Amino acid sequence: MDAALIPEGAKRCSFPKFMLGIAIVGAVLLWGVYAMLLCWFKGLNQTNMNDYYGFALWIWADLAVIAVGGGAFFTGLLKYIFKIDELKNIINFAVIIGFICYSSALLILAIDIGQPLRGWFIFWHANVHSMLTEVAFCLSCYFAVLTIEFIPNILENRQLNKVPFFHHLAHNMHGVMAIFAATGAFLSFFHQGSLGGVAGVMYGRPFAFREGLLIWPWSFFLFTWSAAAFGPCFTLLVTRITEGVTGKKLVKDNVVHLLAKISGWMIFTYMIAKIIDTWYWAYYTAPGLGFELSHFYTSNGFYGYWILVAEVIVCGVIPGLLLINKSTRENPTFRLVAIVLAVIGVCLNRWVMVLQIMAVPVMPFDTWALYIPSWQEVATTILPVAYGIILIAVAYRYLPVFPQELELNRRSEVRES
Amino acid sequence: MKVDRRSFLGLGIGAVAGIAISPVGAKLTDDFSIWTQNWPWTPVPPDGEVSYDRTVCHLCPGACGISVRKIDGRPVKIEGLDPYPVNNGGVCLHGIAGLQYLYDPSRVKSPMKKVNNRFVPISWDEALTMVADRLGELRNDQKPDTLACITGSDQGSVPGLFKHFMAAFGSPNYLTMPDLESWLVRTAKTLHGDAYTLGFDIDHSDFILSFGAGLIDGWGSPVACIQTMGNRRQRQATLVQIEPRLSNTAASANQWIPINPGTEADLAMGMCAVLLKENLFDPVFAQGFKGGFMRFTAMVQKEYPLDKVAGVTGISAADIQKTAVAFAKAKMPVALPGKGRGEGAQNLKEFAAVHTLNCLSGNVNKQGGTFVKPLPKYLNFPDPVQDAVALKGAAAAPLAGSVQELVTRIDKSGESPVKALLVYNANPCFALNDPSRIRAAFEKIPFKVCVTSFMDETAMVSDVILPVSTFLERMEDVPSKAGLAATVVGLSKPMIKPVFNTRSPGDVVIGMARALGGDMAKNFAWDSYDACLEQVTARIWGPLVRKGHVVLSENLPAGSVETDFEFLAQNPETVKPAGDLEFTLIPIDYFRVPPTVPAPSPFAIKTVSDRILKGTDMFVEINPQSAKNLKDGGFATLTTPAGSVPVRVHFNDGIMPGVIGMVKGLGHTLDNKYVSGKGVNINALISPKIEPDSGMDAAFGIKAGISKA
Amino acid sequence: MIHDKKAHKYGMVIDLDKCTGCGTCAVSCMSENNVPFKEDESDKKDSITWMRVYRLTNNKPFPDTEVAFLPRPCQHCGGKGDHGHSPCVSVCPATATDYGYDTGIVSQIYTRCFGCRYCMAACPYHARYFNWWDPVWPEGMEKYLSPNVSPRMRGVVEKCSFCYHRYQLAREKAYASGSDEIPEADYQTACTTACPAGAIVFGDLNNPSHKVHQIVKPDPHPDPLNPDVVGKSRNPKVFRLLERLGTNPKVYYMSEREWVRKLGDHYLDGEWDKVKNVYGSASHE
């Protein structure tokens, strides 16, 4: 039915089967859209946020998708600036994932603010001292860059590519992509960092506050570093899932091993920095303000030391080591465990840096504030996931996302026959 | 021109590009943002000329002077009036929230009558005619004394008009709610004779011995008391607070002495014994001691020895001795009776025993002491002209000495001895112990008229509601009460025209009398309440209008007073909490929840702690030491002989083990979602217990059990 | 435009030994500033109370328990080093909250706020409140609203303004009378004038003739132990909330009771005994 649109030589499932899948995920998407509309028309009273939990599930989701979307800028950087050519085989997919993550982030922000129609005030009345201003500018610009990076891939669609103009446009855009990749990397460095800065500059919140370099708290650099480190893991994870769902190998092992290795070293070095940061904060920054470390991890029903151990050791150091070590890295099971742990780890870090900050009491006579999100919050948080699945499905079906797909699968077909 | 696909696309793209770079987008965005800044459903208060007007608050017995800020005549803010002899610029949250009462959702907007258990609006004429017809029947039947009347207080010209109405009608059954002033008058009557009341010069006292008086929790004239307490430390005046729970007053005191609930009278008697034994009483003042002083002395020595009192009260003998001696040796000591706000169920024995300490100290009618002062007499009502029916009725014996006693009478009779009831500015169906019993008794009364501003619990059981203007909409004299040293009469004036179809309560009484016609009408020949007020306050009317208030007595009351010990010499029995359960439940008077009428404002409810009220759940306080398997914040069932309710538990180290505290004044059921259905009315858990000597309900607390829900 | 010639630094000192916890300041504030209310206000985490009264206890068992009350308006922080970079002002992306260098007051522009709530996250005092709902008054009750303070719409953050409109009125009055001095009595916040216990004193911390200055005796120099802290009180009974964070609030508290003063900030074991008698140095006079 839609055969004319499918990349030449690629095998895809039947159109009805495809549409059935889309319909199921689409239903989830509509549920999210309904919740989104509730939030817009009835206001944020639809959530379980409150004056203690001004930042909650959404801001976590926002920071998490941006962190895991960091695979796009980092892979781009490696491919176009550091000229690691093998990565061309995964860069398209990294860009699509990034595009999904960043468009989701913008959508979440549009739901999260109390006056969405005034959202543009952040540009119009910008306060240059605010980390959020930096986030907004860089995020929007980088989203534009990602769109530009995504366009050539779209134009490579079998039918679009027949239009000579689109064909040449795509070709030429590929040619200048290094410039955009550089711009993207630059922008990403700042907005990933400024998201870390959002928490780090809050000197009224000792759990969040970090000292730093010039105007940037250490969390600024840690966020950039962690996005670069963990983003590729998410790219690999989504690739692995796509391979699982399609039942095909889409990216060659050497590419995967390479990205995993880079990611492993990034995670490992990041964890060293993170441990130093945590140690400095726990032994100097917080006690200097009168806080014992135990203040942040006891006397409440949820946030114990376990979360620190889970983030730093289980989902940080361990996946780092697994990916550095050649034998574990090249073992599909260990690698999968490592990338799953890594993705959980970075999400956990963002959770801690958003929600635990809100939960910790600051005034000596105040108490812990815990909250459970409302269904509207959960639905709107799942909404981008559904949207991402649909976009990936459509892109995979109609665009030549994986350059090695045909080669890998032709071989397997040959072997099978 | 042929429109092909290419030109169509071109045109489309061109149009989009054109609009995108045109100012249309920017303009629409701008309009949009302006719209979000002026949502039509967010009110924009109109601006106008600012003016300030002064009046007197009568939401509580405090009688503070207030200043009302208006915009083009529209009141927008209430503040304390400075100077004003009661509150000197101070004000409390309820007074400030006074404007909310103007527009309260539970306000009665026009006269109503009950038809098939529902209220329907009627005209004033119809309402007054209906009331007159039904009351007229009682007089026609020669039974005017079957009319009863309950008012919130008996001071001022409006209660005066109700009394005048009852006298002219021919009924002795005029009752008031048990407020602090009524207890003080009763105490003064018992010890010093008729027509006295007590005032406490805590402003100047250097040693305040408070038997649970919530000096910063709403006792007396709350703002005046809080101001006095505010500068207490500068004056180096000592406050010793005796009560089972660390109230805010106790928390601010120099010393908090926890006492077993309900044993305050025993402690006061024990302290009297100490003073008498150690010869620490004032011999000069003692010359005025009459009636059984010797017998009293002998009795307290015998019945209230230190060890025994220590055992009963739970306070060490040494502490009792030390405190009593410190009190007696202070230069200007004053002992204060009246637990919490001092209203509701208290007991005469306790008031009398505590006041006897004042008498023994000799610091009576002296600076920094207790003033035994004549009741204010600034009102001159003409003598009622009583016809034969009225004369006969008025001479009948009163049915009861208190509302609770009246309710018991009705309860016990097959047919109610009361055929008609007038209620003004009182909400007995909420504010007194065991309100369901009161409601049931009222149901038996064939005809009930409620003169009220709000559709409260008592209004809901009445047959006719005559809506009155709130204090901001009417003129009235407001005498200060409740234990102030000075007696101040303020004049409240309308700050705004009545918002609804309401009348001043004085006009309602005059209207009822006129509708009754005959001698009743003749007794109420005033054109209006305002004219009546001017006439009955003629002696002070000039300065009252000019200055807004008149200070009737500021100086020490002149002359000596005699003290009669007869009542205490008989050693009346102490009313103990009923039942045999493990704990004692006591009401907590919490400043942010007003005592009785009116119900709390939305603002007041908003300030209530989440450790008192959470959603609709009511918390009770319990000491963690006696909490057993209960959990802080957990659910429990509280049971007393009167009933059982679900509650939540709040661990408070500042309450005696074995005592359960519950805030009083919540659990309203009136039609106002901001204050109704929240928490539990503690009165529903306490059965009244009449103190024989006073005829008053003295059940301040009750035995209770609590278990995990 | 009327401009002040002098830079004021408005602030208050609240005597916690006088505070009775009656809640009058809170209601006066709500009434003055058109603060809305809703059916259930018992969830204090979504109840708009510019002035909130906290209950403090010494956490000792019966009968040694003690209780105090702490009213908490917006602290109008001067930020680290008192340079005006308050925790909230420095993070607002749309400049919807600003520091008034002429008054020391942290303002909130409701019509510019787009509701990101970053300021709320940054404020350790929880002095900022979000309008989760449209403000709705029962029928007719909107008639008591004051035109001096605009009611806020859903989706924006609000907080105590030190009754800024009263400052504007006082300034206009002074200007009309040809004076550039605003008399102490002319500018007082609604909570200050309402407090029946007289626990709140408000005025210009920069003006030695104002009572607040005389009580607080603020040290204009940075604290030698913590250079972020400026304006530490030289009165040993006076403290600020979370002073060590360097937020430099302009709301001071006062108590004779040591346990109350200790509850103003966090201290590591043994730290309190070392610092409890350290206050703004007299040598800086």
Side-chain angles (χ1 to χ4, degrees):
Chain A
M1 203 175 193
D2 56 347
L5 290 165
I6 291 170
E8 230 170 336
K11 270 190 78 177
R12 297 290 183 263
C13 68
S14 74
F15 187 68
K17 191 177 165 193
F18 173 70
M19 283 315 289
L20 181 70
I22 295 289
I24 293 167
V25 183
V28 177
L29 182 103
L30 285 177
W31 179 54
V33 168
Y34 173 61
M36 177 181 83
L37 293 175
L38 279 180
C39 293
W40 275 341
F41 286 98
K42 291 193 169 182
L44 295 183
N45 50 60
Q46 298 293 304
T47 72
N48 275 352
M49 287 192 274
N50 56 45
D51 295 332
Y52 274 55
Y53 261 102
F55 285 176
L57 186 71
W58 286 338
I59 298 294
W60 164 73
D62 212 72
L63 264 66
V65 294
I66 289 175
V68 296
F73 94 84
F74 190 61
T75 316
L77 181 81
L78 294 172
K79 155 84 177 62
Y80 293 106
I81 310 299
F82 293 103
K83 308 281 183 200
I84 301 177
D85 205 47
E86 289 96 316
L87 295 179
K88 71 170 187 275
N89 297 312
I90 201 162
I91 186 73
N92 283 345
F93 201 47
V95 165
I96 292 174
I97 294 170
F99 180 85
I100 291 167
C101 288
Y102 279 79
S103 51
S104 300
L106 289 170
L107 178 70
I108 293 173
L109 282 179
I111 307 171
D112 176 77
I113 56 178
Q115 290 274 352
L117 300 177
R118 293 186 205 162
W120 52 281
F121 282 16
I122 202 168
F123 305 111
W124 202 251
H125 301 288
N127 170 19
V128 293
H129 297 290
S130 173
M131 282 291 166
L132 216 52
T133 307
E134 197 174 310
V135 170
F137 274 90
C138 295
L139 205 65
S140 316
C141 294
Y142 184 56
F143 179 63
V145 168
L146 274 171
T147 311
I148 292 168
E149 288 184 344
F150 189 20
I151 285 172
N153 197 220
I154 297 173
L155 297 180
E156 279 163 5
N157 172 274
R158 200 161 126 196
Q159 296 303 325
L160 288 175
N161 213 29
K162 282 180 186 162
V163 181
F165 172 72
F166 287 159
H167 176 82
H168 295 300
L169 182 63
H171 183 78
N172 288 317
M173 281 181 85
H174 272 302
V176 294
M177 206 44 83
I179 296 167
F180 290 109
T183 315
F186 175 79
L187 289 169
S188 279
F189 178 82
F190 277 99
H191 85 248
Q192 295 283 1
S194 47
L195 278 171
V198 163
V201 297
M202 296 199 290
Y203 64 92
R205 297 272 196 167
F207 184 78
F209 176 62
R210 294 292 187 281
E211 283 143 279
L213 184 70
L214 301 174
I215 60 163
W216 297 290
W218 294 127
S219 56
F220 182 99
F221 305 101
L222 288 174
F223 265 52
T224 305
W225 202 335
S226 60
F230 293 99
C233 279
F234 187 68
T235 311
L236 291 176
L237 179 64
V238 179
T239 307
R240 178 72 193 79
I241 293 169
T242 312
E243 286 180 340
V245 172
T246 58
K248 286 183 202 140
K249 186 129 187 71
L250 298 169
V251 180
K252 282 186 184 166
D253 280 344
N254 69 321
V255 178
V256 171
H257 293 166
L258 176 64
L259 199 55
K261 183 180 167 187
I262 295 169
S263 185
W265 280 105
M266 287 295 289
I267 292 173
F268 185 73
T269 48
Y270 163 74
M271 286 325 299
I272 293 172
K274 171 74 187 171
I275 288 167
I276 294 171
D277 170 73
T278 305
W279 170 81
Y280 188 84
W281 162 77
Y283 285 91
Y284 291 93
T285 312
L289 303 170
F291 289 83
E292 311 255 13
L293 189 63
S294 61
H295 179 91
F296 305 121
Y297 295 100
T298 52
S299 324
N300 77 93
F302 185 71
Y303 293 106
Y305 287 106
W306 65 266
I307 202 161
L308 189 61
V309 174
E311 183 204 329
V312 176
I313 309 295
V314 181
C315 300
V317 175
I318 290 178
L321 292 174
L322 286 175
L323 292 180
I324 289 171
N325 185 293
K326 191 169 188 298
S327 61
T328 45
R329 177 172 70 234
E330 295 187 355
N331 175 317
T333 312
F334 277 118
R335 189 172 66 240
L336 185 62
V337 168
I339 60 178
V340 168
L341 283 180
V343 169
I344 293 174
V346 72
C347 292
L348 209 51
N349 171 263
R350 295 327 193 235
W351 180 279
V352 167
M353 292 306 275
V354 174
L355 283 112
Q356 195 173 352
I357 290 170
M358 301 294 118
V360 175
V362 186
M363 287 188 289
F365 41 84
D366 218 338
T367 48
W368 279 80
L370 300 176
Y371 111 117
I372 294 166
S374 71
W375 73 262
Q376 288 91 331
E377 285 174 88
V378 175
T380 42
T381 307
I382 291 174
L383 162 68
V385 178
Y387 147 75
I389 291 172
I390 291 174
L391 194 72
I392 288 175
V394 171
Y396 167 74
R397 191 172 176 86
Y398 299 120
L399 304 179
V401 175
F402 299 100
Q404 296 173 315
E405 181 193 350
L406 294 182
E407 184 191 344
L408 282 166
N409 291 291
R410 200 179 301 132
R411 252 190 230 150
S412 66
E413 275 159 32
V414 168
R415 231 182 314 181
E416 270 167 36
S417 65
Chain B
M1 194 182 105
K2 189 175 156 246
V3 181
D4 59 8
R5 202 160 92 169
R6 182 174 292 261
S7 65
F8 182 79
L9 269 174
L11 203 67
I13 292 168
V16 169
I19 290 168
I21 58 162
S22 78
V24 170
K27 176 77 174 89
L28 285 176
T29 314
D30 189 48
D31 285 353
F32 230 41
S33 88
I34 289 170
W35 178 75
T36 69
Q37 293 166 359
N38 300 282
W39 278 340
W41 58 88
T42 304
V44 180
D47 209 346
E49 193 162 343
V50 185
S51 62
Y52 292 85
D53 207 348
R54 49 176 294 169
T55 185
V56 180
C57 175
H58 30 127
L59 288 170
C60 87
C64 295
I66 53 173
S67 162
V68 178
R69 183 161 84 231
K70 300 180 185 177
I71 303 292
D72 278 345
R74 176 173 68 88
V76 298
K77 178 83 197 277
I78 291 179
E79 283 166 330
L81 186 63
D82 197 15
Y84 192 80
V86 174
N87 55 313
N88 285 319
V91 65
C92 82
L93 69 159
H94 305 300
I96 296 170
L99 295 177
Q100 294 199 314
Y101 288 118
L102 280 174
Y103 312 102
D104 192 284
S106 64
R107 276 207 68 180
V108 185
K109 299 180 175 70
S110 79
M112 307 269 235
K113 69 172 176 189
K114 199 181 251 172
V115 179
N116 296 331
N117 242 346
R118 289 184 61 182
F119 284 105
V120 290
I122 51 175
S123 71
W124 272 103
D125 278 346
E126 188 185 344
L128 291 173
T129 310
M130 193 175 157
V131 172
D133 287 351
R134 294 295 295 265
L135 298 189
E137 281 169 27
L138 301 184
R139 282 172 59 83
N140 292 342
D141 294 348
Q142 310 282 314
K143 284 179 184 160
D145 53 318
T146 57
L147 170 68
C149 175
I150 300 169
T151 63
S153 128
D154 70 347
Q155 294 192 24
S157 68
V158 171
L161 274 171
F162 275 95
K163 278 189 270 187
H164 195 64
F165 183 91
M166 293 299 279
F169 192 85
S171 171
N173 293 308
Y174 171 79
L175 296 162
T176 60
M177 296 289 279
D179 63 355
L180 175 62
E181 181 67 13
S182 72
W183 283 106
L184 293 176
V185 171
R186 198 167 280 116
T187 308
K189 185 177 176 180
T190 309
L191 278 106
H192 306 294
D194 257 335
Y196 283 105
T197 185
L198 303 181
F200 303 95
D201 193 13
I202 43 180
D203 263 340
H204 298 102
S205 166
D206 66 343
F207 192 99
I208 304 153
L209 183 63
S210 158
F211 287 76
L215 290 167
I216 58 173
D217 295 279
W219 186 90
S221 182
V223 172
C225 280
I226 289 176
Q227 287 177 335
T228 304
M229 289 298 115
N231 60 40
R232 182 176 62 79
R233 277 174 197 274
Q234 273 154 289
R235 291 190 293 114
Q236 297 190 314
T238 303
L239 170 64
V240 176
Q241 185 75 7
I242 306 164
E243 57 180 319
R245 177 181 169 271
L246 184 77
S247 65
N248 294 353
T249 310
S252 77
N254 299 68
Q255 193 191 356
W256 167 44
I257 304 181
I259 181 170
N260 289 334
T263 63
E264 290 84 353
D266 300 76
L267 177 67
M269 295 289 246
M271 286 187 170
C272 286
V274 172
L275 298 195
L276 290 165
K277 190 174 162 197
E278 314 235 332
N279 236 347
L280 283 170
F281 62 96
D282 179 0
V284 180
F285 189 72
Q287 287 166 8
F289 289 173
K290 296 275 155 23
F293 177 58
M294 299 313 282
R295 271 188 295 129
F296 173 74
T297 308
M299 185 279 293
V300 289
Q301 303 289 10
K302 180 165 167 276
E303 301 292 337
Y304 295 93
L306 260 184
D307 289 348
K308 187 176 163 193
V309 174
V312 171
T313 58
I315 305 170
S316 75
D319 273 351
I320 298 174
Q321 169 89 20
K322 202 179 81 192
T323 310
V325 171
F327 172 77
K329 291 200 168 159
K331 237 162 66 194
M332 293 177 283
V334 60
L336 299 178
K339 298 180 288 264
R341 286 195 170 91
E343 46 93 52
Q346 304 276 344
N347 71 80
L348 181 59
K349 178 182 178 181
E350 189 178 312
F351 268 74
V354 172
H355 181 52
T356 300
L357 280 171
N358 287 322
C359 294
L360 291 178
S361 80
N363 201 25
V364 173
N365 290 353
K366 288 181 193 156
Q367 203 191 40
T370 309
F371 295 176
V372 178
K373 44 182 197 173
L375 281 171
K377 282 193 220 100
Y378 67 95
L379 293 171
N380 285 307
F381 276 96
D383 287 333
V385 180
Q386 292 171 304
D387 55 20
V389 180
L391 278 170
K392 185 169 156 259
L399 283 166
S402 67
V403 179
Q404 286 283 15
E405 234 180 19
L406 184 73
V407 166
T408 309
R409 283 290 294 266
I410 299 171
D411 217 11
K412 287 189 178 150
S413 332
E415 195 180 319
S416 169
V418 178
K419 301 296 179 210
L421 176 70
L422 281 174
V423 181
Y424 163 65
N425 197 29
N427 187 6
C429 293
F430 176 84
L432 298 179
N433 280 337
D434 204 351
S436 62
R437 172 175 165 271
I438 294 166
R439 239 175 353 253
F442 281 14
E443 297 285 1
K444 283 170 81 176
I445 302 173
F447 186 62
K448 292 138 304 204
V449 181
C450 204
V451 183
T452 179
S453 298
F454 306 97
M455 186 61 92
D456 59 24
E457 287 79 356
T458 305
M460 279 190 274
V461 300
S462 60
D463 300 288
V464 176
I465 303 174
L466 303 176
V468 290
S469 306
T470 63
F471 73 100
L472 292 169
E473 302 163 302
R474 69 191 204 219
M475 171 123 80
E476 196 167 318
D477 57 317
V478 187
S480 70
K481 295 171 283 200
L484 279 172
T487 306
V488 182
V489 179
L491 183 67
S492 85
K493 290 175 298 182
M495 296 289 107
I496 180 175
K497 271 192 261 165
V499 175
F500 300 110
N501 184 14
T502 58
R503 291 185 183 177
S504 141
D507 282 322
V508 171
V509 181
I510 293 170
M512 286 194 298
R514 275 211 200 127
L516 274 160
D519 280 339
M520 284 304 288
K522 272 184 226 153
N523 272 306
F524 291 82
W526 298 286
D527 284 341
S528 66
Y529 167 71
D530 292 358
C532 162
L533 181 64
E534 185 176 347
Q535 191 200 325
V536 298
T537 59
R539 273 199 300 149
I540 58 166
W541 180 250
L544 191 60
V545 171
R546 210 166 47 246
K547 278 166 51 194
H549 71 271
V550 171
V551 180
L552 291 185
S553 75
E554 197 166 21
N555 304 324
L556 305 177
S560 58
V561 276
E562 293 187 342
T563 309
D564 185 346
F565 286 83
E566 201 60 57
F567 169 64
L568 286 180
Q570 299 158 18
N571 190 21
E573 202 187 328
T574 303
V575 175
K576 294 198 177 67
D580 49 11
L581 291 159
E582 188 188 351
F583 290 90
T584 308
L585 172 70
I586 56 164
I588 299 170
D589 278 340
Y590 177 58
F591 196 78
R592 301 183 197 175
V593 178
T596 47
V597 177
S601 60
F603 275 160
I605 285 289
K606 184 166 176 169
T607 65
V608 171
S609 157
D610 57 352
R611 272 319 179 97
I612 290 172
L613 191 67
K614 184 91 186 178
T616 57
D617 296 337
M618 183 87 196
F619 280 84
V620 292
E621 290 183 8
I622 187 166
N623 191 301
Q625 291 172 35
S626 55
K628 288 181 205 144
N629 65 342
L630 298 173
K631 275 207 310 214
D632 192 28
F635 289 87
T637 305
L638 177 70
T639 307
T640 71
S644 182
V645 289
V647 292
R648 289 178 72 178
V649 176
H650 167 43
F651 282 1
N652 179 5
D653 284 306
I655 190 165
M656 282 176 88
V659 179
I660 297 171
M662 186 193 265
V663 164
K664 192 174 175 178
L666 291 169
H668 273 284
T669 53
L670 42 78
D671 184 19
N672 178 352
K673 66 176 178 177
Y674 301 99
V675 299
S676 248
K678 295 176 190 293
V680 170
N681 181 3
I682 187 179
N683 296 331
L685 294 169
I686 302 179
S687 321
K689 211 171 170 187
I690 305 286
E691 183 186 28
D693 299 286
S694 62
M696 301 296 291
D697 174 17
F700 185 77
I702 194 162
K703 288 290 183 182
I706 188 163
S707 60
K708 208 166 162 180
Chain C
M1 282 287 282
I2 304 162
H3 284 291
D4 269 332
K5 294 200 177 113
K6 284 182 196 151
H8 304 288
K9 200 170 140 187
Y10 286 104
M12 55 173 64
V13 56
I14 306 179
D15 187 338
L16 301 185
D17 297 338
K18 280 187 178 174
C19 177
T20 67
C22 69
T24 303
C25 51
V27 170
S28 183
C29 170
M30 292 176 204
S31 178
E32 178 80 19
N33 293 295
N34 295 338
V35 174
F37 53 89
K38 54 190 192 305
E39 188 172 340
D40 181 11
E41 292 282 5
S42 68
D43 182 353
K44 300 304 174 191
K45 292 190 170 77
D46 68 19
S47 174
I48 301 176
T49 38
W50 293 10
M51 175 65 116
R52 181 173 170 193
V53 182
Y54 284 86
R55 181 175 180 268
L56 317 182
T57 98
N58 66 349
N59 269 325
K60 286 193 182 164
F62 177 86
D64 301 318
T65 319
E66 286 186 47
V67 166
F69 292 91
L70 184 139
R72 191 255 29 227
C74 168
Q75 306 283 306
H76 294 276
C77 303
K80 282 193 175 175
D82 213 18
H83 301 304
H85 298 292
S86 324
C88 51
V89 169
S90 57
V91 300
C92 175
T95 333
T97 183
D98 209 358
Y99 189 82
Y101 286 94
D102 53 342
T103 54
I105 293 173
V106 176
S107 65
Q108 180 76 19
I109 307 166
Y110 312 123
T111 48
R112 188 180 288 175
C113 173
F114 64 86
C116 74
R117 304 183 297 285
Y118 191 7
C119 54
M120 295 167 64
C123 172
Y125 305 103
H126 296 291
R128 297 180 152 270
Y129 294 89
F130 187 70
N131 282 273
W132 301 99
W133 283 267
D134 275 310
V136 179
W137 282 268
E139 196 192 336
M141 212 183 264
E142 73 284 346
K143 290 199 190 81
Y144 76 51
L145 296 178
S146 156
N148 290 337
V149 184
S150 44
R152 282 69 63 185
M153 61 288 291
R154 179 232 288 171
V156 304
V157 172
E158 62 181 74
K159 66 161 196 85
C160 154
S161 66
F162 267 175
C163 290
Y164 191 75
H165 58 284
R166 291 189 172 206
Y167 168 71
Q168 290 172 314
L169 292 173
R171 193 177 55 180
E172 277 161 29
K173 188 177 155 191
Y175 182 75
S177 67
S179 160
D180 60 350
E181 186 92 18
I182 296 173
E184 189 175 4
D186 278 14
Y187 173 36
Q188 291 291 319
T189 64
C191 51
T192 307
T193 55
C195 177
I200 309 177
V201 173
F202 180 81
D204 185 355
L205 288 161
N206 277 350
N207 189 333
S209 73
H210 281 204
K211 213 172 144 199
V212 69
H213 176 96
Q214 292 160 4
I215 296 171
V216 171
K217 303 189 195 75
D219 185 343
H221 303 278
D223 178 2
L225 298 175
N226 183 350
D228 290 335
V229 175
V230 180
K232 208 172 164 71
S233 174
R234 281 175 283 201
N235 179 339
K237 304 293 178 226
V238 172
F239 64 100
R240 287 185 284 184
L241 273 186
L242 301 170
E243 194 171 55
R244 303 177 72 173
L245 298 183
T247 50
N248 289 314
K250 275 186 279 297
V251 176
Y252 292 78
Y253 295 93
M254 176 158 69
S255 179
E256 297 278 336
R257 289 169 285 184
E258 193 183 313
W259 70 267
V260 173
R261 295 202 297 274
K262 194 182 170 192
L263 268 180
D265 214 333
H266 291 271
Y267 301 96
L268 303 177
D269 283 346
E271 232 175 14
W272 169 251
D273 288 322
K274 278 183 238 153
V275 299
K276 67 181 176 190
N277 292 320
V278 176
Y279 39 92
S281 157
S283 64
H284 289 312
E285 276 294 356

